[in-house]
Amino acid sequence: MVSRGSERYFDIFIYVLLLLLAFICVFPLLFVLSVSLTPYSEVLRNGGFILIPKSITFEAYKILFGMEEIPRAFLVTIFVTVMSTALNLILTIPLAFALSRKHLIGRGFFIFMIVFTMMFGGGLIPTYLVVQWTGLLNTVWAMIIPGAISTWNVLIVKTFFENLPEELFESARIDGAGEFKVLSSIALPLSIPVMVTIGLFCVVASWNTFFSAIFYITDNDLNPLQVIVRRLLVSTSELDVGNTDVTLPTTTLQMASVVMASLPVIVVYPFVQKHLTKGMLVGALKG
Amino acid sequence: MKKKRKVAFGMFNLLTAAAVIAGCSSGSNSGAPNESNSEQSAEKTNEKVSIEVMLSGSAASLPKDDFVKQTIDKDLGIDLNLTLANTLDELVQKLNVRAAGGDLPDVIQFNPAQKSVFEEYVKKNLLLELNPYEEKLAPLKSFISENFLSRAAINGKYYAITQNQATNLSSFWIRKDWLDKLKLPVPQTLDELMEAAKAFTEQDPDGNGKKDTFGITGKLTDVAGFVNVQHGTFDGFYIKDGKMVHGLSQPEMKESIVYLQKMVASGALDPEIASNKPESAKDKAFQGKAGIIFSDWTGVMKDAEVAKWKGANPNADFVMIDKLQGPKADYMAVVGLTAVGNRMAISKEVAEDEAKLQKVLDLFNYTAQDKGANLVQFGLEGTHFTKENGKVKLTDKASEASFTWVYQFSGRPEKEYLITKFPNQAPYIEKNDQLKKLESYTNFIILPTDYNAADADRYKQEELLKFYLDKNKMENYDKFLNELNTTFKYKTYLDSGFQQLKDLGYAK
Amino acid sequence: MALPSAPKASRTGIQPGKKTTSLWKNLWSMRSLYLMLLPGIIYYVVYKYVPMYGVLIAFKDYDILSGIVKSPWADPWYKHFQFFFESPYFNQLLTNTFLISFYKTVWGTFLAIFVAVLIHEGRIPWLNRIVQTLSYMPHFLSYVIIYGIAIAFFSETSGLINRLIVENGGSAIPFLSSESYFRSVLVGTDVWKDLGWGAIVYLAAMSSIDSTLYEAARIEGAGRLRRIWHITLPGIRSVIILLLVLKIGSVLDAGFEQIYIMYNVQVYPVADIIDTWVYRVGLEQLNFSLATAVGLFKSVIGLILVYLSNKLARKWGGNLW
């Protein structure tokens, strides 16, 4: 019933779609990159639209890296990203594991308790007061601790743990392993794809964070990268139009700032990607 | 169980990496909480008072080696810190959380657009009443104005030092080279402007053989506002024949809408004029797609802007239209009568520390006279500027002082400042000053509480747009006003407005 | 096997016996699980539950100086809700919010799964890697940039698409300012932004499917489509259900930032949502209580919907709690 021929057609069909997908996604990105590399007058002349730059200039990047705050902002962002991700994983894994154990008494209550926070929040002011009360205000930790757990990630990991074959846990318990042992020697090794996935989510989320920086940080030395990028992006839209003293950033500079701020996380992905190929589990199970 | 070890190892790696970075940065990153908390450091070091000023500082980025801060710190014996917010909205949010946390900055700047927030803060008793300090702030009187405190008074009490308004009014800028090519004169009347716009659309002014240009770009609401004043009216409160009126219900308003409909119908306007964002409109003019743009001089004539449009098209040449005779009037713009610039307020808590308050007052006085005033306007004498016969002349190092404006806590003498700073643009700055203005009283009005301004504004904008674009017929205009007055309670607003203006003594 | 295993009698910890003593015994036997819960729960209590007293603001006339607790109660207590409900635009706001959010969820979920399946089925590793990396990149663009890209493509005068249309003798379509196209532009750009990003979690789920299942199916002669339908999709069912339930809970969040950046007066009737309305009201009149009241309204609706959808999900064995 399944001929080699139809398999091949199916493959070709898949490749065509994959290429189409790549095309749809790469087109606008090429645009961002090209504009960042093209002299601004050239951009204007082309109606703001350039896919392949005719003449290349690194002027925008020179301006960007000439900004004194940039190196420091990079450091802050890297620190926040690494610490947030580590903290997220450390807190999320045991929490999700415990919630995935179906016999846990009060499980429904605890799950509801965390899901509830996805819908209900206290709002900006009381949250600020708690951050202040816990002594985090105007420290790097204000960008790390208040977002130490993402409920979304907890639920994803929990679902993955639930999907693991119960027999494995049974046999481990029969061998006398405690819950911690079961988590570290059975559940974790079997869930590398999901760990990597939520790790990636944490990295990206904390890399892109600016909200907590805006509200909890007043010391300019603690500004992460995204605050500076955002400043370049929003300034043309509001306040500074008409401000005699401000030179508005050009589209070229804006695009360059986007490239600068997102490239470092984008290159993370290929490393993550290899853990998302299928068949991980089987090897582990049989090994 | 190979996999297991790998995970454990990976986690270990991550943790050590984190710990290493934590170790590195905690030294420099000031991991200690509340280090820059003003109260603490004030207690710690008696000789140096720390003062925090919060501004909507926008795209400014302060250099590490900030000579303005260093000079001020040294001269006044303080530790001055600026907190800059990127947007107005952000500034308000930040202020509100800090007010809730009892941690307001010492000095707060309220942008003119934040008048209502300022009033709210006064009402909430968060700002220091400045009446007792008027004498101590004497230098500001000559630097800003006699009424630098009183013009933002609330119930006779002063809560803010007001800066002078910096008005960059918008007007039309037209491509002179296109006019020349089509042998048209610079427009003297609104009708002529329309003809030029039409010619730009139809007669291929850029000579590329394609009909790909149009006349006017900008924002339709701005263009409509201009057509309104050229009919002697606008959407707001003003005095007409000695009587306070609101423009929306005046017959001139209808006439000006009819005029605008003609403009739209002629096809000489940017087809996207109703949905343009400011930047995209400007791009169109700079690209050479549109020959007329509605903008202030900074948007077209600052050196950086000139470089943009000259770069895209070396032959381009924009001229400012500073006088235009409309069908009913020759006004070019509307200005708020009371409009003041930024309001600088002092947090009430500052008064608890006598010494600190003195330093804050000193700071304002410092930026208003001699060395300090020059410092925040032009930089350091001898480095960034020199004085010739008492006149400031910028040196070629002046660009290093381009950020000093954020420190202009007492404002600046606008025109002299601009002309010194932008010598190339002096003619436009002069012209900007001389544009004929219609005076608006709208700014005096405090919104009644049960009136939803956002809904009424939306309805008003949407419906007016339909009239402009001729999607709704003019005979329905009164119906629209009626709907606005009843369903959207605009009547409540108008009544309250007239009453308030009467109480203030402006309306009879 | 990727399905949640059915409850079995052999679960540890639950043994027949006297009720009360066995409860304590059971709790004690699970002490290590509770220990695992503890740090997380502390976090939730401190940073999520303590601030929740802030919802009181919705029922008060919030006054910054007196603080949340001491501010006077609103009179009547539903005053701020009433202000929202009485807006002539209330119905329109609710409809717009719901529709935009609904389309985003449906298209976003469907296409993300589709992309995940495509990548999962792709047999050339390097192609997979490239496509995956590229497809995830738009996620990093902020909406300001995306709006710039949208203008470059869709603008009536200068957009690439309209230039093509006009050159071929058509008339330009006002994608960004017409009520008939604007929602599609909103949904399209949003879906595009997170196409590859959204696929990642499904890919992770797929990578945990036991590959012996595929082998068995192949031996039985099942084609690729049948394998996708009978193995791949059921294998990620619980993740799909989980994400859908969560999305349903935030159905009244239609994406403030995107809409605020992209909309204009002409498309208000189809694009003005609850959050943009609150923002505009807040700009004119500083009103914390209103923003909180509207937030509370959204939360309650979200909670009810999550509760109901979780009940429904129970039928397919994918319930959250």
Side-chain angles (χ1 to χ4, degrees), chain A residues 41-60:
Chain A
S41 54
E42 190 73 24
V43 177
L44 262 184
R45 229 174 317 195
N46 279 284
F49 190 81
I50 284 174
L51 273 189
I52 312 291
K54 273 186 220 119
S55 53
I56 283 187
T57 165
F58 289 94
E59 199 51 40

PDB file of all heavy atoms in Angstrom, chain A residues 41-60:
ATOM      1  N   SER A  41      20.539  57.671   3.107  1.00  0.00           N
ATOM      2  CA  SER A  41      19.995  58.370   1.936  1.00  0.00           C
ATOM      3  C   SER A  41      19.568  57.361   0.870  1.00  0.00           C
ATOM      4  O   SER A  41      18.574  57.543   0.176  1.00  0.00           O
ATOM      5  CB  SER A  41      21.035  59.336   1.372  1.00  0.00           C
ATOM      6  OG  SER A  41      22.233  58.654   1.119  1.00  0.00           O
ATOM      7  N   GLU A  42      20.339  56.285   0.796  1.00  0.00           N
ATOM      8  CA  GLU A  42      20.002  55.207  -0.149  1.00  0.00           C
ATOM      9  C   GLU A  42      18.660  54.581   0.238  1.00  0.00           C
ATOM     10  O   GLU A  42      17.807  54.311  -0.594  1.00  0.00           O
ATOM     11  CB  GLU A  42      21.120  54.168  -0.097  1.00  0.00           C
ATOM     12  CG  GLU A  42      21.060  53.106  -1.159  1.00  0.00           C
ATOM     13  CD  GLU A  42      21.439  53.647  -2.532  1.00  0.00           C
ATOM     14  OE1 GLU A  42      22.167  54.664  -2.590  1.00  0.00           O
ATOM     15  OE2 GLU A  42      20.997  53.065  -3.504  1.00  0.00           O
ATOM     16  N   VAL A  43      18.473  54.366   1.541  1.00  0.00           N
ATOM     17  CA  VAL A  43      17.222  53.789   2.032  1.00  0.00           C
ATOM     18  C   VAL A  43      16.050  54.670   1.627  1.00  0.00           C
ATOM     19  O   VAL A  43      15.036  54.202   1.110  1.00  0.00           O
ATOM     20  CB  VAL A  43      17.249  53.638   3.573  1.00  0.00           C
ATOM     21  CG1 VAL A  43      15.928  53.112   4.091  1.00  0.00           C
ATOM     22  CG2 VAL A  43      18.381  52.715   3.994  1.00  0.00           C
ATOM     23  N   LEU A  44      16.219  55.994   1.856  1.00  0.00           N
ATOM     24  CA  LEU A  44      15.147  56.924   1.520  1.00  0.00           C
ATOM     25  C   LEU A  44      14.828  56.885   0.031  1.00  0.00           C
ATOM     26  O   LEU A  44      13.682  56.833  -0.378  1.00  0.00           O
ATOM     27  CB  LEU A  44      15.581  58.345   1.881  1.00  0.00           C
ATOM     28  CG  LEU A  44      15.098  58.896   3.201  1.00  0.00           C
ATOM     29  CD1 LEU A  44      15.549  60.325   3.344  1.00  0.00           C
ATOM     30  CD2 LEU A  44      13.584  58.815   3.290  1.00  0.00           C
ATOM     31  N   ARG A  45      15.888  56.912  -0.772  1.00  0.00           N
ATOM     32  CA  ARG A  45      15.691  56.938  -2.208  1.00  0.00           C
ATOM     33  C   ARG A  45      14.911  55.718  -2.679  1.00  0.00           C
ATOM     34  O   ARG A  45      14.182  55.764  -3.643  1.00  0.00           O
ATOM     35  CB  ARG A  45      17.036  57.007  -2.917  1.00  0.00           C
ATOM     36  CG  ARG A  45      17.053  58.095  -3.980  1.00  0.00           C
ATOM     37  CD  ARG A  45      18.416  58.230  -4.559  1.00  0.00           C
ATOM     38  NE  ARG A  45      19.412  58.174  -3.486  1.00  0.00           N
ATOM     39  CZ  ARG A  45      20.673  58.553  -3.639  1.00  0.00           C
ATOM     40  NH1 ARG A  45      21.085  59.004  -4.779  1.00  0.00           N
ATOM     41  NH2 ARG A  45      21.530  58.479  -2.648  1.00  0.00           N
ATOM     42  N   ASN A  46      15.090  54.611  -2.000  1.00  0.00           N
ATOM     43  CA  ASN A  46      14.402  53.391  -2.406  1.00  0.00           C
ATOM     44  C   ASN A  46      13.035  53.241  -1.753  1.00  0.00           C
ATOM     45  O   ASN A  46      12.491  52.142  -1.671  1.00  0.00           O
ATOM     46  CB  ASN A  46      15.246  52.168  -2.057  1.00  0.00           C
ATOM     47  CG  ASN A  46      16.308  51.942  -3.095  1.00  0.00           C
ATOM     48  OD1 ASN A  46      16.025  51.461  -4.183  1.00  0.00           O
ATOM     49  ND2 ASN A  46      17.532  52.327  -2.778  1.00  0.00           N
ATOM     50  N   GLY A  47      12.532  54.324  -1.250  1.00  0.00           N
ATOM     51  CA  GLY A  47      11.213  54.260  -0.625  1.00  0.00           C
ATOM     52  C   GLY A  47      11.234  53.456   0.656  1.00  0.00           C
ATOM     53  O   GLY A  47      10.251  52.835   1.029  1.00  0.00           O
ATOM     54  N   GLY A  48      12.359  53.437   1.343  1.00  0.00           N
ATOM     55  CA  GLY A  48      12.438  52.750   2.623  1.00  0.00           C
ATOM     56  C   GLY A  48      12.534  51.250   2.499  1.00  0.00           C
ATOM     57  O   GLY A  48      12.528  50.532   3.486  1.00  0.00           O
ATOM     58  N   PHE A  49      12.657  50.758   1.280  1.00  0.00           N
ATOM     59  CA  PHE A  49      12.635  49.312   1.117  1.00  0.00           C
ATOM     60  C   PHE A  49      13.864  48.810   0.393  1.00  0.00           C
ATOM     61  O   PHE A  49      14.121  49.187  -0.748  1.00  0.00           O
ATOM     62  CB  PHE A  49      11.387  48.904   0.341  1.00  0.00           C
ATOM     63  CG  PHE A  49      11.173  47.433   0.337  1.00  0.00           C
ATOM     64  CD1 PHE A  49      10.582  46.817   1.413  1.00  0.00           C
ATOM     65  CD2 PHE A  49      11.601  46.662  -0.726  1.00  0.00           C
ATOM     66  CE1 PHE A  49      10.408  45.448   1.430  1.00  0.00           C
ATOM     67  CE2 PHE A  49      11.430  45.294  -0.720  1.00  0.00           C
ATOM     68  CZ  PHE A  49      10.828  44.684   0.365  1.00  0.00           C
ATOM     69  N   ILE A  50      14.637  47.967   1.075  1.00  0.00           N
ATOM     70  CA  ILE A  50      15.849  47.434   0.468  1.00  0.00           C
ATOM     71  C   ILE A  50      15.993  45.966   0.843  1.00  0.00           C
ATOM     72  O   ILE A  50      15.863  45.601   2.010  1.00  0.00           O
ATOM     73  CB  ILE A  50      17.081  48.216   0.954  1.00  0.00           C
ATOM     74  CG1 ILE A  50      17.121  49.558   0.246  1.00  0.00           C
ATOM     75  CG2 ILE A  50      18.355  47.452   0.667  1.00  0.00           C
ATOM     76  CD1 ILE A  50      18.192  50.453   0.732  1.00  0.00           C
ATOM     77  N   LEU A  51      16.212  45.133  -0.136  1.00  0.00           N
ATOM     78  CA  LEU A  51      16.443  43.720   0.189  1.00  0.00           C
ATOM     79  C   LEU A  51      17.910  43.352   0.033  1.00  0.00           C
ATOM     80  O   LEU A  51      18.480  42.675   0.881  1.00  0.00           O
ATOM     81  CB  LEU A  51      15.579  42.827  -0.693  1.00  0.00           C
ATOM     82  CG  LEU A  51      14.188  42.574  -0.133  1.00  0.00           C
ATOM     83  CD1 LEU A  51      13.474  41.517  -0.938  1.00  0.00           C
ATOM     84  CD2 LEU A  51      14.241  42.166   1.334  1.00  0.00           C
ATOM     85  N   ILE A  52      18.509  43.794  -1.061  1.00  0.00           N
ATOM     86  CA  ILE A  52      19.939  43.551  -1.250  1.00  0.00           C
ATOM     87  C   ILE A  52      20.629  44.906  -1.325  1.00  0.00           C
ATOM     88  O   ILE A  52      20.379  45.676  -2.240  1.00  0.00           O
ATOM     89  CB  ILE A  52      20.202  42.777  -2.568  1.00  0.00           C
ATOM     90  CG1 ILE A  52      19.275  41.580  -2.697  1.00  0.00           C
ATOM     91  CG2 ILE A  52      21.667  42.376  -2.661  1.00  0.00           C
ATOM     92  CD1 ILE A  52      19.530  40.456  -1.730  1.00  0.00           C
ATOM     93  N   PRO A  53      21.442  45.224  -0.330  1.00  0.00           N
ATOM     94  CA  PRO A  53      22.081  46.536  -0.337  1.00  0.00           C
ATOM     95  C   PRO A  53      23.053  46.686  -1.508  1.00  0.00           C
ATOM     96  O   PRO A  53      23.812  45.762  -1.816  1.00  0.00           O
ATOM     97  CB  PRO A  53      22.828  46.586   0.994  1.00  0.00           C
ATOM     98  CG  PRO A  53      22.883  45.206   1.497  1.00  0.00           C
ATOM     99  CD  PRO A  53      21.828  44.405   0.825  1.00  0.00           C
ATOM    100  N   LYS A  54      23.000  47.837  -2.151  1.00  0.00           N
ATOM    101  CA  LYS A  54      23.908  48.071  -3.274  1.00  0.00           C
ATOM    102  C   LYS A  54      25.256  48.546  -2.752  1.00  0.00           C
ATOM    103  O   LYS A  54      26.298  48.129  -3.207  1.00  0.00           O
ATOM    104  CB  LYS A  54      23.295  49.111  -4.220  1.00  0.00           C
ATOM    105  CG  LYS A  54      22.369  48.461  -5.242  1.00  0.00           C
ATOM    106  CD  LYS A  54      21.890  49.495  -6.271  1.00  0.00           C
ATOM    107  CE  LYS A  54      20.434  49.257  -6.583  1.00  0.00           C
ATOM    108  NZ  LYS A  54      19.553  50.371  -6.265  1.00  0.00           N
ATOM    109  N   SER A  55      25.199  49.459  -1.768  1.00  0.00           N
ATOM    110  CA  SER A  55      26.460  49.860  -1.153  1.00  0.00           C
ATOM    111  C   SER A  55      26.330  49.608   0.343  1.00  0.00           C
ATOM    112  O   SER A  55      25.285  49.852   0.939  1.00  0.00           O
ATOM    113  CB  SER A  55      26.713  51.344  -1.418  1.00  0.00           C
ATOM    114  OG  SER A  55      25.592  52.092  -1.018  1.00  0.00           O
ATOM    115  N   ILE A  56      27.414  49.106   0.904  1.00  0.00           N
ATOM    116  CA  ILE A  56      27.343  48.710   2.304  1.00  0.00           C
ATOM    117  C   ILE A  56      28.108  49.685   3.178  1.00  0.00           C
ATOM    118  O   ILE A  56      29.187  50.160   2.809  1.00  0.00           O
ATOM    119  CB  ILE A  56      27.906  47.285   2.475  1.00  0.00           C
ATOM    120  CG1 ILE A  56      26.856  46.283   1.992  1.00  0.00           C
ATOM    121  CG2 ILE A  56      28.290  47.006   3.912  1.00  0.00           C
ATOM    122  CD1 ILE A  56      27.206  44.859   2.260  1.00  0.00           C
ATOM    123  N   THR A  57      27.499  50.024   4.331  1.00  0.00           N
ATOM    124  CA  THR A  57      28.220  50.856   5.290  1.00  0.00           C
ATOM    125  C   THR A  57      27.991  50.308   6.697  1.00  0.00           C
ATOM    126  O   THR A  57      26.919  49.812   6.998  1.00  0.00           O
ATOM    127  CB  THR A  57      27.752  52.323   5.232  1.00  0.00           C
ATOM    128  OG1 THR A  57      28.237  52.979   6.392  1.00  0.00           O
ATOM    129  CG2 THR A  57      26.242  52.429   5.216  1.00  0.00           C
ATOM    130  N   PHE A  58      29.022  50.389   7.511  1.00  0.00           N
ATOM    131  CA  PHE A  58      28.867  49.926   8.889  1.00  0.00           C
ATOM    132  C   PHE A  58      28.688  51.116   9.829  1.00  0.00           C
ATOM    133  O   PHE A  58      28.856  50.997  11.029  1.00  0.00           O
ATOM    134  CB  PHE A  58      30.062  49.072   9.308  1.00  0.00           C
ATOM    135  CG  PHE A  58      30.079  47.738   8.616  1.00  0.00           C
ATOM    136  CD1 PHE A  58      30.797  47.545   7.458  1.00  0.00           C
ATOM    137  CD2 PHE A  58      29.326  46.683   9.121  1.00  0.00           C
ATOM    138  CE1 PHE A  58      30.785  46.329   6.799  1.00  0.00           C
ATOM    139  CE2 PHE A  58      29.309  45.458   8.470  1.00  0.00           C
ATOM    140  CZ  PHE A  58      30.040  45.276   7.299  1.00  0.00           C
ATOM    141  N   GLU A  59      28.364  52.257   9.224  1.00  0.00           N
ATOM    142  CA  GLU A  59      28.222  53.491   9.975  1.00  0.00           C
ATOM    143  C   GLU A  59      27.314  53.314  11.198  1.00  0.00           C
ATOM    144  O   GLU A  59      27.668  53.684  12.313  1.00  0.00           O
ATOM    145  CB  GLU A  59      27.647  54.572   9.041  1.00  0.00           C
ATOM    146  CG  GLU A  59      27.840  55.987   9.502  1.00  0.00           C
ATOM    147  CD  GLU A  59      29.272  56.305   9.878  1.00  0.00           C
ATOM    148  OE1 GLU A  59      30.211  55.854   9.179  1.00  0.00           O
ATOM    149  OE2 GLU A  59      29.455  56.988  10.887  1.00  0.00           O
ATOM    150  N   ALA A  60      26.138  52.720  10.965  1.00  0.00           N
ATOM    151  CA  ALA A  60      25.163  52.576  12.051  1.00  0.00           C
ATOM    152  C   ALA A  60      25.748  51.745  13.188  1.00  0.00           C
ATOM    153  O   ALA A  60      25.559  52.069  14.365  1.00  0.00           O
ATOM    154  CB  ALA A  60      23.895  51.932  11.529  1.00  0.00           C
TER     155      ALA A  60
END
